Coordinates of all heavy atoms in Angstrom, one line a residue:
M34 N -10.9 -65.7 -9.6 CA -11.1 -65.3 -10.9 C -9.9 -65.9 -11.8 O -8.8 -65.8 -11.4 CB -11.1 -63.8 -11.0 CG -11.1 -63.2 -12.4 SD -11.0 -61.4 -12.6 CE -12.5 -60.9 -11.9
T35 N -10.2 -66.4 -12.9 CA -9.2 -66.8 -13.8 C -9.3 -66.0 -15.1 O -10.3 -65.4 -15.4 CB -9.4 -68.3 -14.2 OG1 -10.7 -68.5 -14.7 CG2 -9.3 -69.2 -12.9
V36 N -8.2 -66.1 -15.9 CA -8.1 -65.4 -17.2 C -8.0 -66.4 -18.3 O -7.6 -67.6 -18.1 CB -7.0 -64.4 -17.2 CG1 -7.1 -63.3 -16.2 CG2 -5.6 -65.1 -17.1
A37 N -8.4 -66.0 -19.5 CA -8.3 -66.9 -20.6 C -6.8 -67.2 -20.9 O -5.9 -66.4 -20.7 CB -8.9 -66.2 -21.8
P38 N -6.6 -68.4 -21.5 CA -5.2 -68.8 -21.8 C -4.5 -67.9 -22.7 O -3.3 -67.7 -22.7 CB -5.4 -70.2 -22.4 CG -6.7 -70.7 -21.9 CD -7.5 -69.5 -21.7
A39 N -5.3 -67.1 -23.5 CA -4.7 -66.2 -24.5 C -4.3 -64.9 -23.9 O -3.8 -64.0 -24.6 CB -5.6 -66.0 -25.7
F40 N -4.6 -64.7 -22.6 CA -4.4 -63.4 -22.0 C -2.9 -63.1 -22.0 O -2.0 -63.9 -21.7 CB -4.9 -63.4 -20.5 CG -4.5 -62.1 -19.8 CD1 -5.2 -61.0 -19.9 CD2 -3.4 -62.1 -18.9 CE1 -4.9 -59.8 -19.2 CE2 -3.0 -60.9 -18.2 CZ -3.8 -59.8 -18.4
A41 N -2.5 -61.8 -22.3 CA -1.1 -61.4 -22.3 C -1.1 -60.1 -21.5 O -2.0 -59.2 -21.7 CB -0.6 -61.2 -23.7
M42 N -0.2 -59.9 -20.6 CA -0.1 -58.7 -19.8 C 0.3 -57.6 -20.7 O 1.2 -57.7 -21.5 CB 1.0 -58.9 -18.7 CG 1.2 -57.8 -17.8 SD -0.2 -57.7 -16.7 CE 0.2 -56.4 -15.7
P43 N -0.5 -56.5 -20.7 CA -0.2 -55.3 -21.6 C 1.1 -54.7 -21.2 O 1.6 -54.8 -20.0 CB -1.3 -54.4 -21.4 CG -1.9 -54.7 -20.0 CD -1.6 -56.2 -19.8
E44 N 1.8 -54.0 -22.1 CA 3.0 -53.2 -21.8 C 2.6 -52.1 -20.9 O 1.6 -51.4 -21.1 CB 3.6 -52.7 -23.1 CG 4.2 -53.7 -24.0 CD 5.4 -54.4 -23.3 OE1 6.2 -53.7 -22.6 OE2 5.6 -55.6 -23.5
L45 N 3.4 -51.8 -19.9 CA 3.2 -50.8 -18.9 C 4.1 -49.6 -19.1 O 3.8 -48.5 -18.5 CB 3.4 -51.3 -17.5 CG 2.5 -52.5 -17.1 CD1 2.8 -53.0 -15.7 CD2 1.0 -52.1 -17.2
D46 N 5.1 -49.7 -20.0 CA 5.9 -48.6 -20.3 C 5.1 -47.5 -20.9 O 4.2 -47.7 -21.7 CB 7.1 -49.0 -21.2 CG 8.1 -49.8 -20.5 OD1 8.2 -49.7 -19.3 OD2 8.9 -50.5 -21.2
G47 N 5.4 -46.3 -20.5 CA 4.7 -45.1 -21.1 C 3.6 -44.6 -20.3 O 3.0 -43.6 -20.6
L48 N 3.1 -45.4 -19.3 CA 2.0 -45.0 -18.5 C 2.6 -44.0 -17.4 O 3.7 -44.2 -16.9 CB 1.4 -46.1 -17.8 CG 0.6 -47.1 -18.7 CD1 0.1 -48.3 -17.8 CD2 -0.5 -46.4 -19.4
D49 N 1.9 -42.9 -17.2 CA 2.4 -41.9 -16.2 C 2.7 -42.6 -14.8 O 1.8 -43.3 -14.3 CB 1.3 -40.8 -16.0 CG 1.3 -39.9 -17.2 OD1 2.2 -39.9 -18.0 OD2 0.2 -39.2 -17.4
G50 N 3.9 -42.3 -14.4 CA 4.3 -42.8 -13.0 C 4.7 -44.2 -13.0 O 5.1 -44.7 -11.9
L51 N 4.8 -44.9 -14.1 CA 5.2 -46.3 -14.1 C 6.4 -46.5 -14.9 O 6.6 -45.9 -16.0 CB 4.1 -47.3 -14.6 CG 2.9 -47.4 -13.8 CD1 1.9 -48.4 -14.4 CD2 3.2 -47.9 -12.4
A52 N 7.3 -47.4 -14.5 CA 8.5 -47.7 -15.3 C 8.8 -49.2 -15.0 O 8.9 -49.6 -13.8 CB 9.7 -46.8 -14.9
A53 N 9.1 -49.9 -16.1 CA 9.5 -51.3 -15.9 C 11.0 -51.4 -15.8 O 11.7 -50.7 -16.6 CB 9.0 -52.1 -17.1
I54 N 11.5 -52.1 -14.8 CA 13.0 -52.2 -14.7 C 13.3 -53.7 -14.6 O 12.5 -54.5 -14.1 CB 13.5 -51.5 -13.4 CG1 12.8 -52.0 -12.2 CG2 13.4 -50.0 -13.6 CD1 13.4 -51.4 -10.9
D55 N 14.5 -54.1 -15.1 CA 14.9 -55.5 -15.0 C 15.6 -55.7 -13.7 O 16.3 -54.8 -13.2 CB 15.9 -55.8 -16.1 CG 15.3 -55.9 -17.5 OD1 14.1 -56.3 -17.6 OD2 16.0 -55.5 -18.5
R56 N 15.3 -56.8 -13.1 CA 15.9 -57.1 -11.8 C 16.3 -58.6 -11.8 O 15.8 -59.4 -12.5 CB 14.8 -57.0 -10.7 CG 14.4 -55.6 -10.4 CD 13.4 -55.5 -9.3 NE 14.1 -56.0 -8.1 CZ 13.5 -56.0 -6.9 NH1 12.2 -55.7 -6.8 NH2 14.1 -56.5 -5.8
E57 N 17.3 -58.8 -11.0 CA 17.8 -60.2 -10.8 C 16.8 -61.0 -10.1 O 16.1 -60.5 -9.2 CB 19.1 -60.2 -10.1 CG 20.3 -59.6 -10.8 CD 20.6 -60.4 -12.0 OE1 20.7 -61.7 -12.0 OE2 20.9 -59.8 -13.1
P58 N 16.6 -62.3 -10.4 CA 15.7 -63.1 -9.7 C 16.0 -63.2 -8.2 O 17.2 -63.2 -7.9 CB 15.8 -64.5 -10.4 CG 16.4 -64.2 -11.7 CD 17.3 -63.0 -11.5
E59 N 15.0 -63.3 -7.4 CA 15.3 -63.5 -5.9 C 14.9 -64.9 -5.5 O 13.9 -65.4 -5.9 CB 14.3 -62.5 -5.1 CG 14.9 -61.2 -4.8 CD 13.9 -60.4 -4.0 OE1 14.0 -60.6 -2.7 OE2 13.1 -59.7 -4.5
L60 N 15.7 -65.5 -4.7 CA 15.4 -66.8 -4.1 C 14.8 -66.5 -2.7 O 15.5 -66.0 -1.8 CB 16.7 -67.7 -4.0 CG 16.5 -69.0 -3.4 CD1 15.5 -69.9 -4.2 CD2 17.8 -69.7 -3.3
L61 N 13.6 -66.9 -2.5 CA 12.9 -66.7 -1.2 C 12.8 -68.0 -0.5 O 12.5 -69.1 -1.1 CB 11.5 -66.1 -1.4 CG 11.4 -64.8 -2.2 CD1 10.0 -64.4 -2.4 CD2 12.2 -63.7 -1.4
S62 N 13.0 -68.0 0.8 CA 12.8 -69.1 1.7 C 11.7 -68.8 2.6 O 11.8 -68.0 3.5 CB 14.1 -69.4 2.5 OG 13.9 -70.5 3.3
T63 N 10.6 -69.6 2.5 CA 9.3 -69.3 3.2 C 8.9 -70.6 3.9 O 8.9 -71.6 3.3 CB 8.2 -68.8 2.3 OG1 8.7 -67.7 1.6 CG2 7.0 -68.4 3.0
V64 N 8.5 -70.4 5.2 CA 7.9 -71.5 6.0 C 6.6 -71.1 6.5 O 6.4 -70.0 7.0 CB 8.8 -71.9 7.1 CG1 8.2 -73.0 8.0 CG2 10.2 -72.3 6.7
Y65 N 5.5 -71.9 6.2 CA 4.2 -71.7 6.7 C 3.9 -72.5 8.0 O 4.4 -73.6 8.1 CB 3.1 -72.0 5.6 CG 3.1 -71.0 4.5 CD1 4.0 -71.1 3.5 CD2 2.2 -70.0 4.6 CE1 3.9 -70.1 2.5 CE2 2.1 -69.0 3.6 CZ 3.0 -69.1 2.5 OH 3.0 -68.2 1.5
F66 N 3.2 -71.9 8.9 CA 2.9 -72.5 10.2 C 1.4 -72.6 10.4 O 0.7 -71.8 9.9 CB 3.5 -71.7 11.4 CG 5.0 -71.7 11.3 CD1 5.6 -70.7 10.6 CD2 5.7 -72.6 12.0 CE1 7.0 -70.6 10.6 CE2 7.1 -72.5 12.0 CZ 7.8 -71.5 11.3
D67 N 1.0 -73.7 11.1 CA -0.4 -73.8 11.4 C -0.5 -74.8 12.7 O 0.5 -75.3 13.1 CB -1.2 -74.5 10.3 CG -2.7 -74.1 10.3 OD1 -3.2 -73.8 11.4 OD2 -3.4 -74.2 9.3
T68 N -1.6 -74.9 13.2 CA -1.8 -75.8 14.4 C -1.9 -77.2 13.8 O -2.1 -77.4 12.6 CB -3.1 -75.4 15.2 OG1 -4.2 -75.6 14.3 CG2 -3.0 -74.0 15.7
E69 N -1.8 -78.2 14.7 CA -1.9 -79.6 14.3 C -3.2 -79.9 13.6 O -3.3 -80.7 12.7 CB -1.7 -80.5 15.5 CG -0.3 -80.7 15.9 CD -0.1 -81.7 17.0 OE1 -1.0 -82.6 17.1 OE2 0.9 -81.7 17.6
D70 N -4.3 -79.3 14.1 CA -5.6 -79.5 13.4 C -6.0 -78.5 12.4 O -7.1 -78.4 12.0 CB -6.7 -79.6 14.5 CG -6.7 -78.5 15.5 OD1 -5.9 -77.6 15.3 OD2 -7.6 -78.4 16.4
L71 N -5.0 -77.7 11.9 CA -5.2 -76.8 10.8 C -6.2 -75.7 11.0 O -6.9 -75.3 10.1 CB -5.5 -77.5 9.5 CG -4.4 -78.6 9.1 CD1 -4.9 -79.3 7.9 CD2 -3.1 -78.0 8.9
H72 N -6.2 -75.2 12.3 CA -7.2 -74.1 12.6 C -7.0 -72.9 11.7 O -8.0 -72.3 11.2 CB -7.1 -73.7 14.1 CG -8.0 -74.4 15.0 ND1 -7.6 -75.4 15.8 CD2 -9.3 -74.2 15.2 CE1 -8.6 -75.8 16.5 NE2 -9.7 -75.1 16.2
L73 N -5.8 -72.4 11.5 CA -5.6 -71.2 10.7 C -6.1 -71.4 9.3 O -6.9 -70.6 8.7 CB -4.1 -70.8 10.6 CG -3.5 -70.4 11.9 CD1 -2.0 -70.1 11.8 CD2 -4.2 -69.2 12.5
A74 N -5.8 -72.5 8.6 CA -6.3 -72.8 7.3 C -7.8 -72.9 7.2 O -8.4 -72.3 6.3 CB -5.7 -74.1 6.8
R75 N -8.4 -73.5 8.2 CA -9.9 -73.6 8.2 C -10.5 -72.3 8.4 O -11.6 -72.0 7.9 CB -10.3 -74.6 9.3 CG -10.1 -76.0 8.9 CD -10.8 -77.0 9.8 NE -10.0 -77.1 11.0 CZ -10.5 -77.3 12.2 NH1 -11.8 -77.5 12.4 NH2 -9.7 -77.4 13.3
W76 N -9.9 -71.4 9.1 CA -10.4 -70.0 9.3 C -10.1 -69.1 8.1 O -10.5 -67.9 8.1 CB -9.9 -69.4 10.6 CG -10.3 -70.0 11.8 CD1 -11.4 -70.8 12.0 CD2 -9.7 -70.0 13.1 NE1 -11.5 -71.2 13.3 CE2 -10.4 -70.7 14.0 CE3 -8.5 -69.4 13.5 CZ2 -10.1 -70.9 15.3 CZ3 -8.2 -69.5 14.9 CH2 -9.0 -70.3 15.7
G77 N -9.3 -69.6 7.1 CA -8.9 -68.7 6.0 C -7.8 -67.8 6.3 O -7.5 -66.8 5.6
A78 N -7.0 -68.1 7.4 CA -5.8 -67.3 7.7 C -4.5 -68.1 7.5 O -4.6 -69.3 7.3 CB -5.9 -66.9 9.2
S79 N -3.4 -67.4 7.5 CA -2.1 -68.1 7.3 C -1.1 -67.3 8.1 O -1.2 -66.1 8.4 CB -1.7 -68.2 5.9 OG -1.5 -66.9 5.3
L80 N 0.0 -68.0 8.5 CA 1.1 -67.5 9.2 C 2.4 -68.0 8.6 O 2.5 -69.2 8.4 CB 1.1 -67.9 10.7 CG 2.3 -67.6 11.5 CD1 2.5 -66.1 11.7 CD2 2.2 -68.2 12.9
R81 N 3.2 -67.1 8.2 CA 4.4 -67.5 7.5 C 5.6 -66.7 8.0 O 5.5 -65.6 8.5 CB 4.3 -67.3 6.0 CG 4.5 -65.9 5.5 CD 4.7 -65.8 4.0 NE 5.0 -64.4 3.7 CZ 4.4 -63.7 2.8 NH1 3.6 -64.3 2.0 NH2 4.8 -62.5 2.6
H82 N 6.8 -67.3 7.8 CA 8.1 -66.6 8.1 C 8.9 -66.7 6.8 O 9.1 -67.8 6.2 CB 8.9 -67.3 9.2 CG 10.1 -66.5 9.5 ND1 11.3 -66.9 9.0 CD2 10.3 -65.4 10.2 CE1 12.2 -66.0 9.3 NE2 11.7 -65.1 10.1
R83 N 9.3 -65.6 6.3 CA 10.2 -65.5 5.1 C 11.5 -65.0 5.5 O 11.6 -63.9 6.1 CB 9.5 -64.6 4.1 CG 10.3 -64.6 2.8 CD 9.5 -64.0 1.7 NE 8.5 -64.9 1.2 CZ 7.4 -64.5 0.5 NH1 7.2 -63.3 0.1 NH2 6.5 -65.4 0.1
L84 N 12.5 -65.8 5.3 CA 13.9 -65.4 5.6 C 14.3 -64.0 5.0 O 14.1 -63.8 3.9 CB 14.9 -66.5 5.1 CG 16.3 -66.4 5.6 CD1 16.3 -66.7 7.1 CD2 17.1 -67.5 4.9
G85 N 14.7 -63.1 5.9 CA 15.1 -61.8 5.5 C 14.0 -60.8 5.5 O 14.2 -59.6 5.3
Q86 N 12.7 -61.3 5.6 CA 11.6 -60.4 5.6 C 10.8 -60.4 6.9 O 10.0 -59.5 7.1 CB 10.7 -60.7 4.4 CG 11.4 -60.4 3.1 CD 10.4 -60.7 1.9 OE1 9.3 -61.0 2.1 NE2 11.0 -60.5 0.7
G87 N 10.9 -61.4 7.6 CA 10.1 -61.5 8.9 C 8.8 -62.3 8.8 O 8.7 -63.2 7.9
W88 N 7.9 -62.0 9.6 CA 6.6 -62.7 9.7 C 5.5 -62.0 9.1 O 5.4 -60.8 9.0 CB 6.3 -62.8 11.2 CG 7.3 -63.7 12.0 CD1 8.4 -63.3 12.6 CD2 7.2 -65.1 12.1 NE1 9.0 -64.3 13.1 CE2 8.3 -65.5 12.9 CE3 6.3 -66.1 11.8 CZ2 8.6 -66.8 13.3 CZ3 6.5 -67.4 12.1 CH2 7.7 -67.7 12.9
T89 N 4.5 -62.8 8.5 CA 3.3 -62.2 7.9 C 2.1 -63.1 8.4 O 2.2 -64.3 8.3 CB 3.4 -62.2 6.4 OG1 4.5 -61.4 6.0 CG2 2.1 -61.6 5.8
V90 N 1.1 -62.4 8.9 CA -0.2 -63.0 9.2 C -1.1 -62.5 8.2 O -1.3 -61.3 8.0 CB -0.6 -62.7 10.6 CG1 -2.0 -63.3 10.9 CG2 0.4 -63.1 11.7
K91 N -1.8 -63.4 7.4 CA -2.8 -63.0 6.5 C -4.1 -63.4 7.1 O -4.3 -64.6 7.5 CB -2.6 -63.7 5.2 CG -1.5 -63.1 4.4 CD -1.4 -63.6 3.0 CE -0.3 -63.0 2.2 NZ -0.3 -63.4 0.8
L92 N -5.0 -62.5 7.2 CA -6.3 -62.7 7.9 C -7.3 -63.2 6.8 O -7.1 -63.1 5.6 CB -6.8 -61.5 8.5 CG -5.9 -61.0 9.6 CD1 -6.3 -59.6 10.2 CD2 -5.7 -62.0 10.7
P93 N -8.5 -63.8 7.2 CA -9.5 -64.2 6.3 C -9.9 -63.1 5.3 O -10.0 -62.0 5.7 CB -10.6 -64.7 7.2 CG -10.0 -65.0 8.5 CD -8.9 -64.0 8.6
P94 N -10.2 -63.5 4.1 CA -10.6 -62.5 3.1 C -11.9 -61.8 3.4 O -12.8 -62.4 4.0 CB -10.7 -63.3 1.8 CG -10.5 -64.7 2.1 CD -10.2 -64.8 3.5
Q95 N -12.0 -60.5 3.1 CA -13.2 -59.8 3.3 C -13.6 -59.2 1.9 O -12.8 -58.8 1.1 CB -13.0 -58.6 4.2 CG -12.5 -59.0 5.6 CD -12.0 -57.8 6.4 OE1 -11.9 -56.7 5.9 NE2 -11.7 -58.1 7.6
S96 N -14.9 -59.3 1.6 CA -15.3 -58.8 0.3 C -15.7 -57.3 0.4 O -16.4 -56.9 1.3 CB -16.6 -59.6 -0.2 OG -17.0 -59.2 -1.4
E97 N -15.1 -56.6 -0.5 CA -15.4 -55.1 -0.6 C -15.9 -54.9 -2.1 O -15.1 -54.5 -2.9 CB -14.2 -54.3 -0.3 CG -13.9 -54.4 1.2 CD -12.8 -53.4 1.6 OE1 -12.4 -52.6 0.8 OE2 -12.3 -53.6 2.7
G98 N -17.1 -55.0 -2.4 CA -17.6 -54.9 -3.7 C -17.1 -56.0 -4.6 O -17.2 -57.2 -4.3
Y99 N -16.4 -55.6 -5.7 CA -15.8 -56.6 -6.6 C -14.5 -57.1 -6.1 O -13.9 -58.0 -6.7 CB -15.7 -55.9 -8.0 CG -17.0 -55.7 -8.7 CD1 -17.5 -54.4 -8.9 CD2 -17.7 -56.8 -9.2 CE1 -18.7 -54.2 -9.5 CE2 -19.0 -56.5 -9.8 CZ -19.4 -55.3 -9.9 OH -20.6 -55.0 -10.6
L100 N -13.9 -56.4 -5.1 CA -12.6 -56.8 -4.6 C -12.6 -57.8 -3.5 O -13.6 -57.8 -2.7 CB -11.9 -55.5 -4.1 CG -11.6 -54.4 -5.1 CD1 -11.0 -53.2 -4.4 CD2 -10.8 -54.9 -6.3
L101 N -11.6 -58.6 -3.4 CA -11.5 -59.5 -2.3 C -10.2 -59.0 -1.6 O -9.1 -59.1 -2.1 CB -11.3 -60.9 -2.8 CG -11.2 -62.0 -1.7 CD1 -12.6 -62.1 -1.0 CD2 -11.0 -63.4 -2.3
V102 N -10.4 -58.5 -0.4 CA -9.4 -57.9 0.4 C -8.9 -58.9 1.5 O -9.7 -59.4 2.2 CB -9.8 -56.5 1.0 CG1 -8.7 -55.9 1.9 CG2 -10.3 -55.6 0.0
R103 N -7.6 -59.1 1.5 CA -7.1 -60.0 2.6 C -6.1 -59.2 3.4 O -4.9 -59.0 3.0 CB -6.4 -61.2 1.9 CG -6.1 -62.3 2.9 CD -5.9 -63.6 2.1 NE -5.7 -64.6 3.2 CZ -4.9 -65.7 3.0 NH1 -4.3 -65.9 1.9 NH2 -4.8 -66.5 4.0
P104 N -6.5 -58.7 4.6 CA -5.6 -57.9 5.4 C -4.4 -58.7 5.8 O -4.5 -59.9 6.1 CB -6.5 -57.6 6.6 CG -7.9 -57.9 6.2 CD -7.8 -58.9 5.2
E105 N -3.3 -58.0 5.9 CA -2.0 -58.6 6.3 C -1.4 -57.8 7.4 O -1.5 -56.6 7.5 CB -1.0 -58.6 5.1 CG -1.3 -59.5 4.0 CD -0.2 -59.5 3.0 OE1 0.9 -58.9 3.2 OE2 -0.4 -60.1 1.9
I106 N -0.8 -58.5 8.4 CA 0.0 -57.9 9.4 C 1.4 -58.5 9.3 O 1.6 -59.7 9.3 CB -0.6 -58.3 10.8 CG1 -2.1 -57.8 10.9 CG2 0.2 -57.7 11.9 CD1 -2.8 -58.4 12.1
T107 N 2.4 -57.6 9.2 CA 3.8 -58.0 9.1 C 4.6 -57.5 10.2 O 4.3 -56.4 10.8 CB 4.4 -57.5 7.8 OG1 4.3 -56.1 7.7 CG2 3.7 -58.1 6.6
F108 N 5.6 -58.2 10.7 CA 6.5 -57.7 11.7 C 7.8 -58.4 11.6 O 7.9 -59.6 11.1 CB 5.9 -57.9 13.1 CG 5.3 -59.3 13.4 CD1 6.1 -60.2 14.1 CD2 4.1 -59.7 13.0 CE1 5.6 -61.5 14.3 CE2 3.6 -60.9 13.3 CZ 4.3 -61.8 13.9
P109 N 8.9 -57.7 11.9 CA 10.2 -58.3 11.8 C 10.5 -59.4 12.8 O 9.8 -59.5 13.8 CB 11.2 -57.1 12.0 CG 10.4 -56.2 12.9 CD 8.9 -56.4 12.5
G110 N 11.5 -60.2 12.5 CA 11.9 -61.1 13.5 C 12.3 -62.4 12.8 O 11.9 -62.8 11.7
S111 N 13.2 -63.2 13.6 CA 13.6 -64.5 13.1 C 12.9 -65.5 13.9 O 12.6 -66.6 13.7 CB 15.1 -64.7 13.1 OG 15.5 -64.4 14.4

């Protein structure tokens, strides 16, 4: 799904339970892995390692009504 170029994110301040806070930018170091013949990509899955956060496996997307759900499995480790 894409949005129109004129789209602007609405202000979220004032909504119950939400608060916007300023944060310093984060520099992330991420490496993606796949087999030589790109099996994971062809199956719609991905495997990545993010420094300081560990491993994430994203499984192929599943459609749930209007939503596209992409299950994730995360685990620590270098």
Side-chain angles (χ1 to χ4, degrees):
M34 175 186 291
T35 58
V36 297
F40 174 81
M42 186 71 178
E44 289 295 324
L45 301 177
D46 285 340
L48 294 176
D49 287 338
L51 292 179
I54 57 172
D55 289 328
R56 293 184 58 183
E57 291 295 318
E59 269 185 84
L60 179 61
L61 301 176
S62 177
T63 305
V64 178
Y65 285 85
F66 296 87
D67 205 337
T68 62
E69 284 187 19
D70 52 0
L71 303 176
H72 266 104
L73 294 176
R75 285 190 284 147
W76 292 338
S79 66
L80 171 64
R81 77 166 186 228
H82 182 264
R83 185 168 283 163
L84 193 61
Q86 295 182 4
W88 295 89
T89 301
V90 178
K91 289 190 179 184
L92 301 175
Q95 302 167 353
S96 185
E97 291 184 11
Y99 291 108
L100 299 176
L101 188 62
V102 178
R103 192 159 184 212
E105 290 185 10
I106 302 168
T107 59
F108 51 98
S111 56

